[in-house]
Amino acid sequence: MKAGSKFLNAVSAFALSASVVASGSGVVVLASAASAEAAVIRSVQVRGAQRAGEEAVRSNLTIQPGVSFSGADIDESVKRLYATGYFSDVKINVSGNSLVVTVAENELVNQVVFNGNRKIKDDKLSGVVQTQPLGPYSQAMVNADVERIRTAYSQIGRSDVEITTQTVNVGQGRVNIAFVINEGDRTKIADINFSGNQAYGDGRLKAVIVTKESGPLSFLTRKDVYSPDKLRADEDALRQFYYNHGYPDFRIISSDAQLDATTNKYTINFSVEEGPRYQFGDINVESSVEGVNGEELQGLVETTPGAVYDAREIQKSMEAISKQVASKGYPFARVTPRGDRNLQTNTIGVSYMVDQGERAYVERIEIRGNTRTRDYVIRREFDFSEGDAFNQEMISRAKRRLEALGYFTSVNISTTQGTAVDRVVVVVDVEDQSTGSFGIGAGYSAGGDGFILEASVEEKNFLGRGQYVRVAAGGGLNDSRTYSLSFTEPYFLGYRLAAGFDVFRSETSSNDNYDYSEQGFTLRVTAPITEDLATTFRYTYKQIEYETDNNNDYNDLSPIYQDLVDHGKYTQSSVAQTLTYNTLDSQTMAREGIYATFTHEFAGLGGDSEFYKISGRARYFQTLSTEADLIGSIAVGAGHVFGTGDNLNVFDQFTLGGRQVRGFDNNGIGPRTKDDGDPLGGTTYFTVSADASMPFPAVPEDIGLRLAAFADAGTLYGNDVKTTGTDVEGTGMAWRASVGLGVMWASPFGNIRMDYAIPVLKEDFDETQEFRFSMANQF
């Protein structure tokens, strides 16, 4: 027994005395075969860690006193210490019963500066580079930062940027790093060419993709910047366009960008194959899941036999079926569309196959690329979280929601295998884009304020939290002023409730005889009912004031308006609910879909107003000719108000004018005082409008210039305002109508529209305005 113990102690002593050395070149074991067995040490000695500290070294070791280790543990410890970036050399050896770790420290970064940069500011570049003050200096990291800066400049069209670095030792192991940047000239896009396209011309396809040819205003839009990522996004946009318009066989044969170094301009070429155009054939739903009847799911299908093939309708149908089946207790059910092509009739029958998919759970959601938007803003767009059942249709729905936010230039969602066969990792790759804007809105009113200008600052993703903030101020030539502040939290208290408030004030002297002003606030919350339907609740408190500074002006007023001035200030306190139905394919240039609202409002929670209002408006868009990009729309609207007290005030009734029926002035239609022509508003209105637009002839379509023709009609009638001593006209139902032409331009300054309308049906006392100009949105 003693002999055996002596033998084991001798072996252990031999193993511990073996010199095991590890450095950046690997692990070298200087011992016999016996020393390759696991060893145990009693202490760890750290040498050379003056700035990092001994504890920082020990925390990165996989070797602990009293625990056996091998050469693999030493190798892993060396890798971990190098990975911290604080050390230029690491050596580990065993001396007696101790593990000796000797490190040589990297210098620390004292300051990081950028020289020569004008197009990208210092704060933006600081967020791009990984070399930071008080961090370790690493030449490999600096070299990587040079490439990161180069990529940032490529994204704004400056691919020929030149970047050098300068390092200055300032003592005490610290250095200053300077990135010296020669920004170079901005690359441009000379031409975008398509080949193989027959159904759609080059101009129509150029309007589909994000990348644009360089023009006089490209320095504002920056859409003429080439990047491989944008080229791939353009390919996807072309595929989706063709898939959604009847061409499921469409494919891109090739796409490339060629740079002419002499002009610093790109030429982008797309070679495509469209294939035949298909319509939907027979549509059915089949289920192999026990307890799920395919025929009962048929009503959820949005694809219709005989309609033009549209991949969007297939996706929506899959999502609707999947959601319904999951709600019945089948979270793993899978919906797969199966196409049955008929080459003779160019139809595709679609069978939606519902089967029990593999049981899989979401292990984690991994988000990458969001440099500004916070992770939780992205995560909350998913209908599942870690640990929930995996469902592919929910992935598609989340992708559509993220794209609709407008926070990202690209959104890609993929899946990878998790730590087990039934675990899935959802990977979300996004690229943030600018969401702040400075906007200018302008208009012209011939009847009062003349030229009107509004400036606004808007941020759709405030501090990366997904919050909306807007501040606006405006005015006209006749001392009219408007001020407003809006804020919206899209996920109030963690729920899908968009809560917010609006604060506003406006004042105008557009009338020759009196001044009008109103100020107040609105509290609102919006809740989704379905993907397309939402409801909004509002509370509004408003103060309204009529006043005049001149007795002669007062005497010129009708008795109704004299009463308003005598009363001075009014208050209005109301609650309202609005239902909004929105299936538009685009919020900026709709080509298909419906946007409809229905509102009812009750005033009487204190204040001077007591009424109940109902109103609604619906507009339907339809592409009349895809080849010509001819878009038609029809809109209808109606409203009625009745007093719940003694009578209505002038400001309680509806107004109607050029915003609804072009060719007429604001408040130019409806009841008014006979002698003075003061508008009174009305209790009931109806409107109808038809509009058609197409690209402006002989102008490249991607410029965004369109020609429109329209016809409007409307009526405003009824009056519940006290009119004692005043003659009133226009209270009967009389229709007004107008026809006209308009020019629309999706300019870098915003959406500009000019309309010229001629009233073809009007009353003698109506006030007309044939020309209207408006400019709104951001640049």
Side-chain angles (χ1 to χ4, degrees):
M1 190 73 164
K2 291 182 179 179
S5 299
K6 289 181 179 179
F7 177 77
L8 292 174
N9 289 337
V11 172
S12 299
F14 181 79
L16 291 173
S17 63
S19 178
V20 183
V21 181
S23 68
S25 59
V27 179
V28 181
V29 182
L30 305 177
S32 66
S35 68
E37 300 297 328
V40 178
I41 51 93
R42 296 181 180 176
S43 64
V44 176
Q45 298 180 17
V46 179
R47 300 172 182 173
Q50 298 178 357
R51 292 188 298 273
E54 294 184 9
E55 187 58 35
V57 174
R58 289 190 173 93
S59 65
N60 283 283
L61 296 176
T62 62
I63 304 170
Q64 301 298 326
V67 180
S68 62
F69 68 94
S70 64
D73 294 306
I74 295 179
D75 193 25
E76 178 63 23
S77 296
V78 170
K79 291 179 180 179
R80 288 190 179 187
L81 288 169
Y82 272 115
T84 65
Y86 285 98
F87 309 111
S88 59
D89 191 27
V90 177
K91 294 181 179 178
I92 299 178
N93 64 2
V94 177
S95 177
N97 293 331
S98 298
L99 185 76
V100 181
V101 182
T102 305
V103 296
E105 293 183 308
N106 276 325
E107 295 175 300
L108 290 180
V109 177
N110 181 65
Q111 188 179 14
V112 179
V113 298
F114 304 94
N115 296 326
N117 56 306
R118 293 180 299 169
K119 301 300 181 181
I120 303 181
K121 302 302 181 184
D122 286 5
D123 59 336
K124 298 293 185 182
L125 291 176
S126 295
V128 169
V129 300
Q130 292 189 356
T131 303
Q132 299 293 333
L134 302 182
Y137 169 75
S138 167
Q139 186 59 49
M141 185 181 295
V142 170
N143 293 340
D145 285 339
V146 168
E147 294 306 313
R148 293 186 184 96
I149 295 174
R150 193 184 311 280
T151 299
Y153 272 93
S154 296
Q155 291 174 349
I156 64 170
R158 294 182 178 269
S159 302
D160 58 346
V161 62
E162 297 179 356
I163 307 164
T164 58
T165 60
Q166 296 177 352
T167 304
V168 179
N169 194 318
V170 295
Q172 298 182 344
R174 295 172 180 265
V175 295
N176 288 344
I177 306 295
F179 292 92
V180 183
I181 302 169
N182 179 358
E183 296 181 320
D185 294 328
R186 192 168 75 89
T187 56
K188 299 182 179 180
I189 297 178
D191 295 294
I192 300 176
N193 302 317
F194 295 88
S195 61
N197 52 309
Q198 302 294 327
Y200 303 102
D202 287 10
R204 181 70 183 96
L205 298 183
K206 288 179 183 179
V208 171
I209 62 177
V210 176
T211 307
K212 305 298 182 185
E213 295 174 346
S214 298
L217 299 176
S218 294
F219 72 97
L220 291 173
T221 64
R222 297 299 176 92
K223 292 183 178 180
D224 64 335
V225 175
Y226 165 75
S227 74
D229 290 340
K230 286 182 65 177
L231 187 63
R232 287 192 292 270
D234 288 338
E235 291 178 356
D236 288 339
L238 288 170
R239 292 189 190 97
Q240 291 303 317
F241 173 75
Y242 273 95
Y243 293 164
N244 297 339
H245 291 87
Y247 295 89
D249 295 335
F250 171 83
R251 66 189 185 100
I252 296 176
I253 298 175
S254 66
S255 64
D256 63 77
Q258 300 175 356
L259 177 64
D260 186 340
T262 60
T263 61
N264 206 27
K265 293 182 178 180
Y266 282 99
T267 297
I268 298 177
N269 301 298
F270 293 95
S271 177
V272 304
E273 182 179 307
E274 294 175 329
R277 196 181 196 204
Y278 284 84
Q279 293 178 322
F280 283 118
D282 294 334
I283 308 294
N284 60 79
V285 181
E286 301 177 11
S287 173
S288 63
V289 178
E290 186 178 353
V292 176
N293 189 325
E295 294 182 359
E296 294 179 357
L297 300 173
Q298 192 78 31
L300 300 174
V301 175
E302 298 193 20
T303 47
T304 305
V308 175
Y309 178 89
D310 190 335
R312 291 171 299 186
E313 303 302 322
I314 295 178
Q315 185 62 48
K316 290 180 181 179
S317 300
M318 292 169 60
E319 292 177 7
I321 295 172
S322 176
K323 186 176 181 179
Q324 179 69 15
V325 172
S327 68
K328 292 185 176 182
Y330 303 91
F332 300 102
R334 178 177 54 197
V335 182
T336 306
R338 185 181 66 190
D340 182 16
R341 295 172 185 262
N342 188 322
L343 300 179
Q344 283 71 39
T345 61
N346 282 348
T347 59
I348 298 181
V350 180
S351 296
Y352 296 93
M353 311 299 298
V354 182
D355 56 52
Q356 187 64 53
E358 298 180 357
R359 289 182 175 269
Y361 299 88
V362 178
E363 181 172 296
R364 72 176 185 274
I365 301 174
E366 183 177 326
I367 300 172
R368 306 184 303 199
N370 53 318
T371 58
R372 183 168 180 270
T373 303
R374 308 197 182 197
D375 278 12
Y376 71 83
V377 174
I378 299 173
R379 290 179 182 274
R380 67 193 185 190
E381 297 302 329
F382 288 82
D383 290 330
F384 58 81
S385 57
E386 282 88 348
D388 290 346
F390 174 76
N391 187 298
Q392 184 61 47
E393 308 318 316
M394 291 185 181
I395 297 288
S396 301
R397 189 182 307 134
K399 183 176 187 295
R400 190 169 65 249
R401 287 174 178 170
L402 288 170
E403 291 173 335
L405 291 176
Y407 303 163
F408 313 107
T409 56
S410 63
V411 177
N412 292 297
I413 304 179
S414 57
T415 58
T416 60
Q417 179 69 53
T419 56
V421 293
D422 63 344
R423 296 293 185 267
V424 176
V425 176
V426 177
V427 181
V428 185
D429 289 294
V430 299
E431 183 178 344
D432 282 299
Q433 68 177 354
S434 176
T435 54
S437 60
F438 172 73
I440 292 181
Y444 180 79
S445 172
D449 293 325
F451 187 77
I452 303 170
L453 182 68
E454 181 188 72
S456 64
V457 177
E458 182 179 84
E459 173 56 65
K460 295 186 294 185
N461 189 13
F462 184 63
L463 299 179
R465 300 174 182 270
Q467 298 165 331
Y468 174 86
V469 180
R470 184 177 188 269
V471 179
L477 298 178
N478 289 334
D479 296 328
S480 64
R481 299 289 183 269
T482 61
Y483 311 93
S484 65
L485 168 65
S486 297
F487 174 83
T488 302
E489 166 56 62
Y491 276 75
F492 185 60
L493 299 178
Y495 297 96
R496 192 167 295 214
L497 299 174
F501 65 84
D502 307 291
V503 180
F504 55 88
R505 174 174 174 79
S506 66
E507 51 192 52
T508 179
S509 299
S510 60
N511 190 284
D512 295 334
N513 301 322
Y514 66 89
D515 299 332
Y516 172 84
S517 65
E518 65 178 38
Q519 60 186 358
F521 65 88
T522 296
L523 304 177
R524 48 184 163 75
V525 60
T526 299
I529 300 175
T530 67
E531 287 292 313
D532 302 325
L533 183 64
T535 181
T536 300
F537 296 91
R538 295 183 182 86
Y539 170 76
T540 301
Y541 179 83
K542 185 188 301 183
Q543 288 185 338
I544 301 167
E545 184 173 6
Y546 292 84
E547 60 181 349
T548 181
D549 297 329
N550 190 303
N551 288 333
N552 291 331
D553 292 340
Y554 177 85
N555 293 331
D556 290 337
L557 293 173
S558 65
I560 297 174
Y561 275 81
Q562 286 180 352
D563 289 343
L564 292 172
V565 173
D566 290 340
H567 192 286
K569 290 185 177 180
Y570 295 82
T571 60
Q572 188 181 91
S573 177
S574 66
V575 291
Q577 181 200 14
T578 298
L579 289 172
T580 302
Y581 181 72
N582 184 0
T583 63
L584 298 183
D585 60 342
S586 170
Q587 304 305 310
T588 55
M589 177 59 72
R591 289 181 167 83
E592 294 179 4
I594 298 173
Y595 187 87
T597 61
F598 173 79
T599 300
H600 60 116
E601 179 182 8
F602 172 76
L605 307 175
D608 300 294
S609 295
E610 296 178 314
F611 63 77
Y612 178 74
K613 281 183 180 179
I614 56 173
S615 61
R617 177 176 171 83
R619 190 172 185 182
Y620 170 71
F621 291 86
Q622 179 64 52
T623 300
L624 303 178
S625 171
T626 305
E627 293 77 5
D629 195 19
L630 178 63
I631 305 171
S633 70
I634 297 176
V636 295
H640 179 70
V641 58
F642 59 86
T644 57
D646 295 334
N647 61 280
L648 292 175
N649 298 302
V650 169
F651 49 82
D652 295 334
Q653 300 199 129
F654 291 109
T655 61
L656 197 65
R659 292 184 180 88
Q660 299 86 6
V661 184
R662 285 160 286 194
F664 293 85
D665 198 3
N666 294 335
N667 302 331
I669 297 174
R672 62 185 61 244
T673 60
K674 189 171 184 179
D675 294 333
D676 304 288
D678 292 328
L680 300 177
T683 60
T684 307
Y685 77 88
F686 294 97
T687 61
V688 61
S689 178
D691 198 302
S693 71
M694 61 179 293
F696 206 93
V699 176
E701 189 169 344
D702 59 332
I703 290 179
L705 200 63
R706 299 181 67 87
L707 179 65
F710 58 85
D712 298 334
T715 179
L716 174 67
Y717 61 94
N719 174 62
D720 278 352
V721 176
K722 285 185 178 179
T723 58
T724 303
T726 304
D727 293 331
V728 176
E729 58 186 348
T731 58
M733 183 178 182
W735 282 87
R736 282 80 162 178
S738 65
V739 296
L741 296 175
V743 176
M744 299 180 293
W745 182 29
S747 78
F749 308 102
N751 294 325
I752 296 176
R753 176 152 186 160
M754 294 175 286
D755 290 317
Y756 182 79
I758 300 175
V760 295
L761 192 62
K762 67 183 186 68
E763 297 296 307
D764 294 337
F765 51 82
D766 290 338
E767 295 182 1
T768 61
Q769 178 188 327
E770 295 181 349
F771 177 76
R772 290 185 68 87
F773 166 81
S774 63
M775 181 175 71
N777 238 324
Q778 311 89 15
F779 64 89

